[in-house]
Amino acid sequence: MDTARILLLDAAPGELMARELDRLLGHGLEVTLNLRRVADHAGARDAWGDRVEFTDFDAFDESALTAATVHGAQGYDALKSRAGVPLRAGFLAAATDPALVRPLRVIGRAGAGTDHVDLPAAARHGVTVTHTPGSNAGAVAEFALAQLLALTRDLPAHNATAHRGVWRAPAAPAAQLSELTLGIVGLGRTGSALAGRAAALGMDVQGLSRQHRAREPARPVRSLTALLTTSDVVSLHLPLTAATRGMIGRAELALMRPGSILLNTARGGIVDEQALADALRDPGHPLAAAAVDTFAHEHAAFESALAGLPNALLTPHVAGMTRSAMSTAALHCADHIAALLGDRPDGIPVVSA
């Protein structure tokens, strides 16, 4: 077969797109770029029109995604996703139809999470799923630390009142970080990166891992209950799986210390958003505030029971969006896809069902 073809559902943003396209083309791949999330369509066409093909569709619309991928019975050997476009069973069946000239063989995610892919369906249809674990660990850890600092010092409220021309002194002095215990749920690359940064600022850090052992500087905690009842700030750093979906619900929130804070930069489905919203509305609840960067429904489908709550700091899934993290993810993802298409799987991170 001639040169493998790849469809970029969403290229790296800004100037990073050029580096990503150069890397893919350098691997000898034929590239089709979806312009829907590209800021400068005309500039992209002028710069790359003689080297790549273009399309323009909403990848979050499954019918549009399927039509673009099937592409008149031509198909693509690989897809690359950055923003977590849902790739479900129906789409995977259509994209791997043997009648296509190029049935889909590889899905690449420029990021760590792959919960947007129906992994059992991908396995059934012979599609290999690769990702870039750890590429944004430092970025997400920094963001969680920023959330922590913003809420422990009540920065959103002070900012809002100052903009209204009101001089608002705190009712009581805030605690310094060295007075607080941080509980980290999930001590993989990101959780461990946060532990190191928080400990350097003087926090007492404890953690819960799936193997029930912690890495320095986090002290090990044997259960989620033990962590929730002994932490002033709880930060989540877990993948979304059947085991972690709904892990933090009403019962778990009720266990938290009075005046505590919850941080979620992991996945929205880990936390019951309605239960969290109800807790934040209740002045008698031990939970004082929460910072949430990931939601059960995102992008055009975004909605949350947390919207409008003054003690909920909400951001649109941007924790990992730094230049360094996104460049690493995009380039590593390009390398992984090329290696898998070239039947060179050794050392390439692959996600199984």
Side-chain angles (χ1 to χ4, degrees), residues 5-157:
R5 298 180 63 198
I6 180 171
L7 172 60
L8 270 67
L9 299 182
D10 41 14
E15 62 186 17
L16 298 180
M17 184 180 75
R19 298 183 64 192
E20 180 178 39
L21 291 174
D22 273 332
R23 182 65 67 96
L24 289 166
L25 293 167
H27 283 301
L29 302 179
E30 292 183 4
V31 178
T32 297
L33 171 64
N34 182 17
L35 291 169
R36 183 57 58 98
R37 295 172 67 88
V38 175
D40 182 3
H41 288 199
R45 290 183 182 278
D46 288 344
W48 298 95
D50 60 343
R51 302 178 68 189
V52 308
E53 296 184 0
F54 300 97
T55 186
D56 187 350
F57 66 96
D58 179 5
F60 287 87
D61 178 339
E62 185 167 334
S63 61
L65 171 63
T66 300
T69 304
V70 171
H71 192 53
Q74 293 300 305
Y76 289 92
D77 299 281
L79 296 181
K80 175 264 178 176
S81 171
R82 171 175 63 85
V85 171
L87 304 175
R88 303 307 183 201
F91 163 76
L92 290 166
T96 56
D97 189 328
L100 295 175
V101 175
R102 300 172 182 275
L104 183 65
R105 294 186 283 146
V106 176
I107 292 171
R109 171 71 195 278
T114 55
D115 50 279
H116 64 297
V117 181
D118 186 329
L119 295 175
R124 288 196 305 272
H125 293 290
V127 178
T128 303
V129 180
T130 183
H131 63 152
T132 59
S135 57
N136 63 3
V140 176
E142 288 182 2
F143 194 88
L145 191 59
Q147 291 175 319
L148 187 162
L149 287 163
L151 292 182
T152 56
R153 300 303 293 269
D154 204 18
L155 298 188

Side-chain angles (χ1 to χ4, degrees), residues 161-177:
T161 55
H163 276 287
R164 294 198 301 269
V166 177
W167 189 266
R168 175 183 178 268
Q176 289 187 195
L177 295 187

Side-chain angles (χ1 to χ4, degrees), residues 142-296:
E142 288 182 2
F143 194 88
L145 191 59
Q147 291 175 319
L148 187 162
L149 287 163
L151 292 182
T152 56
R153 300 303 293 269
D154 204 18
L155 298 188
H158 288 306
N159 177 68
T161 55
H163 276 287
R164 294 198 301 269
V166 177
W167 189 266
R168 175 183 178 268
Q176 289 187 195
L177 295 187
S178 58
E179 301 173 58
L180 302 176
T181 296
L182 170 65
I184 301 175
V185 185
L187 286 168
R189 293 175 176 87
T190 304
S192 296
L194 175 60
R197 287 160 170 77
L201 291 172
M203 295 193 80
D204 177 31
V205 183
Q206 58 184 5
L208 176 67
S209 73
R210 283 172 286 185
Q211 292 76 33
H212 298 292
R213 61 177 181 269
R215 303 172 185 171
E216 291 290 342
R219 293 181 288 100
V221 177
R222 297 296 300 178
S223 69
L224 180 61
T225 295
L227 183 139
L228 293 173
T229 56
T230 59
S231 299
D232 301 294
V233 181
V234 174
S235 191
L236 306 177
H237 299 283
L238 296 161
L240 179 61
T241 66
T244 63
R245 186 178 293 277
M247 172 185 279
I248 305 296
R250 295 183 190 280
E252 290 74 23
L253 293 169
L255 294 173
M256 297 182 72
R257 277 184 170 180
S260 59
I261 291 170
L262 178 69
L263 313 176
N264 186 14
T265 56
R267 284 295 184 268
I270 296 172
V271 179
D272 180 335
E273 287 179 33
Q274 186 61 59
L276 178 57
D278 291 343
L280 293 175
R281 287 192 184 95
D282 181 359
H285 198 281
L287 184 68
V292 179
D293 186 56
T294 57
F295 301 85

